[in-house]
Amino acid sequence: MDRRPGLSPAVAEVRRAVRAALEGRTGAVVVALSGGADSLALAAATGFEAERLGIRVEAVVIDHGLQDGSDAVARRAAEIVRERGMAARVVAVHVVAKDGPEADARAARYAGLARAAAETGADAVLLGHTLDDQAETVLLGLARGSGATSLAGMTPERRDAAGPVWLRPLLGVRRRTTVAACAAEGLDAWSDPHNTDPSYARVRVRERVLPVLETELGPGVAEALARTAEQLREDAAAFQDMIDETIEDIVEHAEAGISISVAALAANPAALRNRIVRFVVESEFGVSLTRAQTLEVARLAVDWRGQGPIDLPGCAARRVGNRVEIVARTAS
């Protein structure tokens, strides 16, 4: 237990979550710090636990430059943790308009954190997403009809092909707990005005949808959504193992693309067949197929009636003999 006399239950809960994430690690870590309650509570707990474990830690504050005075907010967040003896730095990033404000800011933020981790020599970056964030992610995925992969939400640990491990120690911790932890430790958390702006879908889910669900369905909705995400992540991992075992036997390289055995694809149940189609297209062409596109490609194996090539983003799928070929668009 982490309950020494005078230790806040909220502080103890956050520290336990961070300790579990740091177990077995020896290299330096970076904490993503915005100055909000979630990231401040995470930084304070990481500083405490890292010192006990002999792990070097640095807080990195990303200044997106999207709000007036953002540089001052970033500097203040860094000062708060420096006052507690933690190394901290502010990294200014340039947000490139491409996929929408939230996605563009996120891409710039993660790129900035990855660069800072590399410069620091850190193998892991700790992010302050909470159980509430997970519940919001699942609801947004449901609304978009995004499928099981999206509904699986955020993973507690993820490593990209290159770069640091991304850790989310607080996915089992409620947002109210991080707020209470900050209050108990005298940490002055910043309130991001974007977090109350109803023009963002996530804010509407947080401020309107989840409270209605809690009122109408009873308490525990957020926890239930987070459990659903965890179960779906387990399913997704099992499916990925099956795909990894199957893929080498049924997929071959083709000119300007890949080909999949019709017989093998048709022999798999629909859930696995559709995942194989999505996986090979994304791996080869970096394209995420919609469900409608996935089903059309799968029909080339299970419902072949002489249909012609199917245009997909950046590529095309076609039936050639006993294979389904997916090739670059210019080769179709």
Side-chain angles (χ1 to χ4, degrees):
M1 292 291 290
D2 222 345
R3 294 292 310 281
R4 295 181 299 280
L7 181 63
S8 157
V11 172
E13 183 178 346
V14 176
R15 286 181 180 177
R16 282 195 298 271
V18 170
R19 187 184 314 139
L22 293 180
E23 280 182 355
R25 296 194 174 277
T26 56
V29 299
V30 158
V31 179
L33 177 64
S34 68
D38 299 340
S39 66
L40 267 181
L42 174 64
T46 304
F48 179 84
E49 296 295 338
E51 183 176 3
R52 298 174 69 184
L53 295 169
I55 296 174
R56 184 164 55 89
V57 59
E58 180 177 27
V60 174
V61 189
I62 299 296
D63 177 14
H64 301 85
L66 297 176
Q67 302 177 41
D68 291 339
S70 64
D71 54 342
V73 171
R75 287 195 303 270
R76 177 56 186 150
E79 288 169 6
I80 290 174
V81 296
R82 287 190 190 120
E83 290 168 359
R84 300 178 66 90
M86 182 184 295
R89 69 165 113 169
V90 175
V91 174
V93 297
H94 175 62
V95 179
V96 178
K98 181 181 178 183
D99 299 317
E102 291 177 276
D104 297 338
R106 181 169 56 250
R109 178 166 62 254
Y110 277 64
L113 289 168
R115 286 195 303 271
E119 293 166 2
T120 303
D123 181 60
V125 177
L126 278 66
L127 305 169
H129 299 113
T130 65
L131 185 148
D132 298 78
D133 294 309
Q134 186 75 294
E136 293 159 12
T137 298
V138 174
L139 275 179
L140 286 167
L142 278 171
R144 293 165 181 155
S146 303
T149 301
S150 177
L151 299 185
M154 297 175 284
T155 59
E157 179 174 334
R158 175 177 61 84
R159 181 185 285 278
D160 295 331
V165 177
W166 303 95
L167 301 175
R168 296 182 175 92
L170 306 185
L171 284 183
V173 176
R174 294 299 305 262
R175 185 175 292 129
R176 58 175 176 259
T177 301
T178 65
V179 172
C182 286
E185 298 206 77
L187 297 171
D188 184 17
W190 173 64
S191 296
D192 185 349
H194 284 169
N195 289 338
T196 56
D197 183 350
S199 66
Y200 294 101
R202 183 173 290 272
V203 172
R204 296 194 297 275
V205 167
R206 178 182 306 147
E207 300 290 334
R208 302 174 186 174
V209 178
L210 270 172
V212 168
L213 290 176
E214 293 274 354
T215 298
E216 297 298 328
L217 301 180
V221 170
E223 288 85 353
L225 288 168
R227 287 196 302 273
T228 298
E230 185 175 2
Q231 292 163 12
L232 286 170
R233 283 197 303 276
E234 293 172 353
D235 291 348
F239 272 117
Q240 190 58 53
D241 287 342
M242 296 167 71
I243 290 172
D244 292 340
E245 292 175 0
T246 304
I247 211 81
E248 291 186 5
D249 295 330
I250 71 171
V251 176
E252 297 177 358
H253 284 288
E255 186 176 352
I258 52 176
S259 73
I260 311 171
S261 163
V262 164
L265 196 59
N268 281 295
L272 183 56
R273 177 168 60 244
N274 293 338
R275 285 172 181 265
I276 289 171
V277 169
R278 289 196 297 270
F279 178 76
V280 296
V281 171
E282 185 164 11
S283 298
E284 186 73 14
F285 299 100
V287 171
S288 296
L289 297 183
T290 65
R291 177 165 175 79
Q293 290 167 338
T294 301
L295 293 177
E296 282 301 302
V297 174
R299 284 185 62 236
L300 295 176
V302 299
D303 189 21
W304 170 244
R305 298 181 181 180
Q307 58 264 43
I310 299 167
D311 286 335
L312 303 169
C315 58
R318 62 195 181 195
R319 175 77 174 255
V320 179
N322 62 355
R323 312 286 297 182
V324 172
E325 289 189 353
I326 305 170
V327 297
R329 184 79 62 79
T330 54
S332 60

